Every structure is written in structure tokens, then in C-alpha cells.
Amino acid sequence: MSVVTNSPVWRPFTQHALQPGAFKIAHAEGAWLTAEDGTRFLDAISSWWVITHGHRQPEIMAAIRKQTETLDQIIFAGFTHEPAEALARRLVEITQPGLDYVFYSDSGSTAVEVAIKMALGYWRNRGEARTRVIAMEHSYHGDTVGTMSAGARSVFNAPYEPLLFDVARVPFPEKGKEQEALDALERYCREGAAAFIVEPLILGAGGMLTYGQQTLVEMKRICEKYRTLFIADEVMTGFGRTGTLFACEQAGITPDIACYSKGLTGGAVPLAVTMCKREIYDAHYAPERARAFFHSSSFTANPIGCAAALANLDIWEKTDARARVTNLCVMQGARAARFAHDPRFSEVRHLGTIVAMDLKVSQSGYLATISLDLMRFFNARGLLLRPLGPTLYVLPPYCVTGEELDLAYDAIDAAADQLASGAL
Ligand SMILES: *Cc1c(COP(=O)(O)O)cnc(C)c1O
């Protein structure tokens, strides 16, 4: 087996003392990763939620190759290029009406940092003293200091806690308790909060927790009433994951600010955008330099990334990508139904192309070592699945077939049996 153990590489979210090895992947195609020795893994989590259509999608790869013939990174202040201009125009068209400006960066975390900074700049430039940010319990918005501040506090960010800024926290709107969340949001908005940031319809890293579109509609209505800016973090949900191109579409709402990254280039190369309504841009538009939006990433609007994103938008607009996603939603729904009344699982949930369920075990939380044992079990069966603690989820690229999906669900079934028999 091609496992790298002795390496200077420090990997993300990895306790090297417990997880010394990493599979060395030499080839990726469609829904599959192939290691140097030929071992294959079904990528049932889209390589951490980024790959949308499939690995090495041919049109995206071709667009990247072609772009390298004319442009690499170009300074983006005072200079621009056609891939960035074309992509911005097309993003304005394809997103909900009202998101009229596009700010480029390079990762989901930076897209969220930019969103928070835009919101605070908006209020400062308008001369209103609003600085408080509202976020949702269990949310995840990235791993930089600003985005960790907005995200849930846990063992992951405990060492940095003294540096994190305080946010107002709305409870997660679980079924039957939506009103509590809405009431809390209204209370903070009434006190004059600057912005509310939320992952629409599903909280990813928080455990694939879903909530209803009506709650999203209500949250937007409350924010509007008190003029609190509504920031949608669509970094994971964007580009088809929830069954529609964007999750906010399902609630028929346009956020004031929206963040997209993972699926923006089909997951092929890093790129991110923060889009906003005209008022936010206008608040920064003035004869004084001091009112400008002071943010930049070195790799802002990388032309090769923009070319990949343009090819991705072509796929959405000119091929049957939407039909494929709809078909995957149906396939996933059928497989969720298989476990819906299974006593070994609880909270079986299905949203668009995503299915998640909780294993009934005594250990809970991400750090429970059960997730490491499960991961090893799945890897040994040729599957890339990465449980979030006792939460198992399948979040595949859209090219996945029903037979391939069944490999994942049969393994989940087998894992639950092993666990029940004490073999795992
Ligand atoms: C992954 C993710 C981020 C962070 O994106 P990075 O590219 O990893 O920095 C932010 N918000 C949500 C909802 C995410 O799922």
C-alpha cells in the first residue's frame, strides 16, 4: 500500500501521533482516487466538499491548460484581465438578483473574512456604530482568527480563544425549536447588530445539521426589519450541493453578502468570491481614500482560477449538470430511506446531494476515537469517508453512479454491524 509515513509534511486536522500515515494518490478521475500502487478509493466526500462534477473534469482541465498559454498571476489593483471581468459578469447573472459586485480572493476563509470586513466597513462609512456580529450555534466559517470567531467554539480553537472576538450566538433551529432561534436573532438584531452570518440550510463541519428553508426566510425577514446585514456563507452549499445551484435559492432570498469558494472552479483550483449588494459597495465609494475597502490577497482573481470557474459556469449553463444533480438527489433520497428506520442510526437526514446520519454510540463529538477507527475501516474497503465524530455522511461528486453510491452505503451498513458486535 502506498502510505507515506516519514515526511516533513504537517497535514491539516491531523494528529500525527495517531494518524502517522497518508495514502499517496497518483491519479484522480471522476469519483475515484488511485494510489501509487493502484489501490483505489471512491471519493465519497468530494475531497473535503470541493469537487463538484468529478475529478479532472475535462472541460475545466482544458480551460486551465489554455489559460496558462497567455496569463499567470496579474496584479489586480489598477490592472484587470478578461477572465476576471467575464467571470464577475457571469456570476452577477447566475446568482440571485441584487448581488451586483464581486470581490475576489482565494479560499473560503478569506471570502468570509472579506464578508465580515465589508459589513463592518459599511456601518463605519455610514457613520452608524454597529460592530456586533451574530452567528449560529455549531456553525463553521473557516480557520482564520476572524472566521474562527464567528464559528462554534470547541476543542479545535481552544488555544486561540483569548484572541477570538465575541459574537452573539443564535441557537441552532432544530425541528420544533425554530422559534427560539428566531427570537434570539430578533433580540440581537433589535440591539443593533452589524451582521448575521449563516450557513444556509445545512451546517457542514458542525455535523451536517439541516434546518428548514422557512426558517431561512424568517431569518432574512428579521434581519431586513432591523437593517442587520445578512451574510450567506455558501462556501460548502454553493454550486449544486443542496440540489439547487445555491441554497438561498430554495428560500427565495437574496443575501446582502454571499461567500462562494469550494465548488466555484468545480473544485479544481483555489478561488473564492464575496458578492454583495450595491449599497455595500456604494458605502465604500467616496472621494476620500480612507473609505476604500482595504483588503487584498496576493492571488486575487488568479486568471487560471477564473478560467476554471468560467468553464465550470459553462458546464452549469450549457450541459445537463442540473439534471445530473437532480438525479443524484433522488438516488441519495432512496439510500437515506434505507436507513431511516434502522435502529443502529438516528437523525437520518437528506438535503439535495448530501445524506448524513448519526451512529448510535456512547462516544460523541468529533474527537471520539470512533471516527478514526471508522475511517480506517472505510479506507480498507476502498472508500474515502470521513465521519464527523459519530456522524456519517456521503457527499459525493455529481458524476457518481448508483452502484458507486451503494459501495459507500454497504460499507456504512457493515461498519455499524462491526461496531455493534464490538469488532471495531
Ligand atoms: C470549508 C468552509 C469554509 C472555509 O473554506 P476554506 O477554503 O477551507 O478556507 C468556510 N465556510 C464553510 C461553510 C465551509 O464549509
Side-chain angles (χ1 to χ4, degrees):
M1 180 76 80
S2 327
V3 178
V4 174
T5 46
N6 198 356
S7 157
V9 174
W10 192 343
R11 286 187 297 280
F13 273 77
T14 301
Q15 175 45 269
H16 283 253
L18 297 173
Q19 305 155 272
F23 299 107
K24 198 168 179 194
I25 299 302
H27 188 256
E29 186 158 351
W32 292 89
L33 305 178
T34 308
E36 277 185 347
D37 69 349
T39 309
R40 295 194 343 134
F41 298 90
L42 176 69
D43 188 354
I45 62 162
S46 300
S47 277
W48 247 344
W49 323 344
V50 300
I51 299 294
T52 50
H53 311 292
H55 284 279
R56 287 179 50 252
Q57 202 287 332
E59 279 83 28
I60 295 175
M61 294 296 108
I64 291 171
R65 269 195 298 276
K66 183 148 188 293
Q67 193 58 65
T68 61
E69 291 169 7
T70 52
L71 287 171
D72 55 4
Q73 182 65 38
I74 307 296
I75 182 172
F76 207 61
F79 293 81
T80 189
H81 47 79
E82 186 52 22
E85 295 297 328
L87 178 59
R89 283 194 300 270
R90 293 205 32 205
L91 284 170
V92 169
E93 275 170 30
I94 205 170
T95 51
Q96 295 92 291
L99 291 171
D100 288 338
Y101 286 89
V102 179
F103 191 94
Y104 285 106
S105 63
D106 47 22
S107 75
S109 298
T110 46
V112 172
E113 291 276 351
V114 163
I116 294 171
K117 287 175 67 174
M118 274 181 183
L120 292 194
Y122 170 84
W123 289 114
R124 184 181 166 89
N125 285 345
R126 289 173 63 100
E128 286 189 55
R130 293 198 189 207
T131 55
R132 197 172 198 202
V133 173
I134 313 171
M136 188 179 276
E137 185 191 11
H138 305 308
S139 64
Y140 176 80
H141 298 293
D143 280 328
T144 55
V145 169
T147 57
M148 278 193 294
S149 300
R153 303 300 158 87
S154 70
V155 62
F156 299 128
N157 46 41
Y160 329 111
E161 181 84 43
L163 287 185
L164 304 186
F165 60 78
D166 201 24
V167 301
R169 197 79 60 186
V170 168
F172 177 75
E174 59 182 274
K175 230 188 183 73
K177 293 192 179 165
E178 292 89 348
Q179 198 55 46
E180 284 174 38
L182 296 175
D183 289 346
L185 178 63
E186 179 139 21
R187 191 164 63 248
Y188 297 132
C189 286
R190 194 185 302 120
E191 289 166 8
F196 171 49
I197 180 163
V198 71
E199 295 165 84
L201 302 184
I202 180 165
L203 275 54
M208 297 294 162
L209 306 173
T210 56
Y211 63 93
Q213 61 189 52
Q214 194 51 38
T215 305
L216 199 57
V217 172
E218 288 300 312
M219 293 190 301
K220 178 69 173 68
R221 185 189 59 76
I222 291 167
C223 287
E224 259 169 45
K225 184 172 168 194
Y226 299 97
R227 298 189 303 128
T228 296
L229 297 176
F230 186 98
I231 304 173
D233 177 355
E234 291 236 26
V235 170
M236 184 195 81
T237 51
F239 297 94
R241 220 45 98 169
T242 67
T244 45
L245 193 54
F246 304 109
C248 284
E249 285 174 23
Q250 293 185 39
I253 59 164
T254 301
D256 298 303
I257 304 177
C259 310
Y260 309 106
S261 182
K262 290 182 169 115
L264 176 57
T265 60
V269 287
L271 187 72
V273 292
T274 307
M275 296 182 62
C276 70
K277 287 192 175 163
R278 184 171 296 274
E279 300 94 277
I280 313 224
Y281 175 86
D282 284 348
H284 291 82
Y285 187 92
E288 307 97 34
R289 246 202 121 194
R291 282 189 178 221
F293 184 53
F294 291 108
H295 191 97
S296 167
S297 303
S298 299
F299 292 103
T300 296
N302 179 268
I304 297 161
C306 291
L310 281 166
N312 175 41
L313 294 192
D314 279 344
I315 292 167
W316 281 105
E317 289 180 349
K318 296 176 187 163
T319 75
D320 58 357
R322 284 171 204 260
R324 208 161 36 243
V325 164
T326 304
N327 186 40
L328 175 56
C329 294
V330 173
M331 290 198 292
Q332 283 283 64
R335 280 151 187 86
R338 166 177 166 188
F339 295 97
H341 304 290
D342 190 321
R344 299 169 301 167
F345 299 96
S346 62
E347 309 294 331
V348 179
R349 45 211 187 265
H350 167 225
L351 177 70
T353 72
I354 307 169
V355 167
M357 59 190 101
D358 297 345
L359 262 171
K360 283 191 195 149
V361 286
S362 49
Q363 296 188 55
S364 66
Y366 184 98
L367 289 188
T369 54
I370 182 73
S371 63
L372 295 185
D373 297 334
L374 284 167
M375 233 186 300
R376 270 191 284 272
F377 176 83
F378 292 129
N379 290 165
R381 289 178 66 120
L383 278 167
L384 168 49
L385 281 172
R386 248 190 102 87
L388 292 156
T391 300
L392 298 174
Y393 69 91
V394 179
L395 190 155
Y398 311 150
C399 64
V400 77
T401 65
E403 293 79 55
E404 288 165 342
L405 278 180
D406 286 332
L407 294 176
Y409 289 99
D410 289 347
I412 286 174
D413 199 334
D417 276 348
Q418 294 262 313
L419 202 66
S421 70
L424 200 76

